[in-house]
Amino acid sequence: MSISTKIFQLIINSRQFKYPLNFNIFSFSTFSTDSTCKLIDQIQKASYGGQVYLKNGLPFIDIPLPSRKENCHFILRPFGDTVGSLSESLSNEDSGIEVIAFYTCEGLRISKCTRIHHLLTFPTLYLRINDSFYKFDVDTSFYISSLDKAESFNDIKSKISTLYTVFDVEEYKIRKESILLNNLENVERKLRPLIIIRKNIEKECEKHSKRIFWSGFSAVCFQVGVFARLTWWEYSWDIMEPITYFSTFSSVVIALAYYLVTKQNFEYSSANIRIFNKDFYRRARKYCFDVAQFNDLIKIKDGLNCELQRIRNNEFIRDF
């Protein structure tokens, strides 16, 4: 039984129902065709947006922005940008843009992963921004020049590979990396005992600074307790008021004295760091910990790590 016969029987059987089937047999086949024809009509009625022109060896395009009613100048990087990145740049430039798409003369949409290098091979481009279409002519001479550049890039790659072979770059890389690893191991071996001593000193300094702050806190609490006892039990507020005033004003004198000595504002965090550092150098002399030597070894270690990173990232060619 043919397909047309089955469809005819389906229509006849549908008349037996209370609500007959209501559909167009040809709607499924004509939907995509109608939308394509409508798109082609819109493309043919597109406004002329300008020309993709060359300047200083790079292609440029001036695209109208719908919100600001002005043209925006965009630089197209042939080998670095794609249609998607160009669309993203347009959206960032004008937040009123909701739909961005590139089309060919036949109404085919160009994929967002298409590189600008391939996009510029079309002699005419159609750009859709929201409900507006714009026509752009492309200078096809760029495609020829870009092919020459691509060939020159391939020549450069082949020459670099030849230089790698001639200069034994891989062997040099392995030898250089081995030397750096040996030096790094020697530096780390010297640093291990110093790091252990430094950690012990830091623990003692932290305990020392905590003791000082807890002692100050205890002294303040004791002072408050004494003043409370003298105010409500021993004497009256009339007698204790000037005493509390001078004791409170003494904190201002102490803060000013701290600034005169340290040239810093009196803050608990800065005071804690100052106490820690002062006690650290005192204990370093006690344990014969050479701070200058430790800092020099740390700098050497950082330099060796940076050099190793250069070797592993193939950034050592300039050493030749």
Side-chain angles (χ1 to χ4, degrees), residues 48 71 74 153 212-213 248 250 253 286:
Y48 185 70
N71 291 340
F74 289 92
F153 289 157
I212 290 178
F213 275 94
T248 304
S250 63
V253 177
K286 177 181 177 181

Side-chain angles (χ1 to χ4, degrees), residues 13-201:
N13 294 332
S14 66
R15 297 182 181 274
Q16 300 175 2
F17 296 96
K18 183 178 180 180
Y19 301 101
L21 296 176
N22 184 15
F23 63 90
N24 188 358
I25 300 175
F26 304 99
S27 61
F28 298 101
S29 61
T30 59
F31 176 74
S32 59
T33 305
D34 293 341
S35 61
T36 304
C37 293
K38 183 179 179 181
L39 181 61
I40 293 176
D41 292 338
Q42 291 177 340
I43 287 176
Q44 291 177 353
K45 298 177 182 178
S47 304
Y48 185 70
Q51 184 179 12
V52 180
Y53 56 93
L54 293 177
K55 185 178 180 181
N56 297 327
L58 288 175
F60 290 81
I61 185 172
D62 298 332
I63 300 176
L65 302 178
S67 298
R68 293 185 288 182
K69 304 297 182 182
E70 62 181 5
N71 291 340
C72 188
H73 195 61
F74 289 92
I75 301 175
L76 304 178
R77 293 179 296 178
F79 299 99
D81 288 341
T82 60
V83 174
S85 62
L86 179 58
S87 302
E88 185 177 355
S89 300
L90 272 169
S91 300
N92 294 334
E93 194 67 31
D94 190 344
S95 59
I97 297 177
E98 297 179 356
V99 179
I100 303 173
F102 283 88
Y103 293 92
T104 62
C105 299
E106 295 80 9
L108 299 176
R109 181 167 179 169
I110 301 175
S111 172
K112 289 187 177 182
C113 62
T114 304
R115 292 193 175 275
I116 299 298
H117 166 65
H118 299 290
L119 180 68
L120 298 179
T121 58
F122 298 99
T124 304
L125 294 174
Y126 292 91
L127 172 61
R128 178 185 178 184
I129 300 179
N130 294 339
D131 295 330
S132 302
F133 285 81
Y134 300 95
K135 177 183 177 182
F136 292 93
D137 294 329
V138 182
D139 187 0
T140 55
S141 62
F142 172 78
Y143 180 66
I144 300 174
S145 62
S146 61
L147 285 178
D148 297 337
K149 290 180 180 179
E151 292 178 357
S152 64
F153 289 157
N154 293 330
D155 294 338
I156 292 173
K157 289 180 180 179
S158 63
K159 290 179 181 179
I160 290 175
S161 62
T162 305
L163 289 174
Y164 261 74
T165 305
V166 171
F167 290 111
D168 294 330
V169 175
E170 291 298 329
E171 183 179 353
Y172 170 80
K173 177 181 176 181
I174 295 172
R175 185 171 64 253
K176 185 74 172 178
E177 186 175 359
S178 177
I179 294 172
L180 291 175
L181 287 174
N182 290 331
N183 294 336
L184 183 61
E185 185 178 357
N186 294 331
V187 172
E188 289 179 346
R189 186 170 58 251
K190 294 178 181 179
L191 276 173
R192 287 192 194 103
L194 296 177
I195 291 174
I196 295 173
I197 297 173
R198 189 198 65 175
K199 289 182 178 180
N200 294 331
I201 294 175

Side-chain angles (χ1 to χ4, degrees), residues 275-292:
I275 294 171
F276 181 90
N277 291 335
K278 189 174 181 180
D279 190 58
F280 181 87
Y281 283 99
R282 182 178 63 83
R283 295 180 185 274
R285 290 191 297 269
K286 177 181 177 181
Y287 291 103
C288 298
F289 179 78
D290 193 347
V291 179

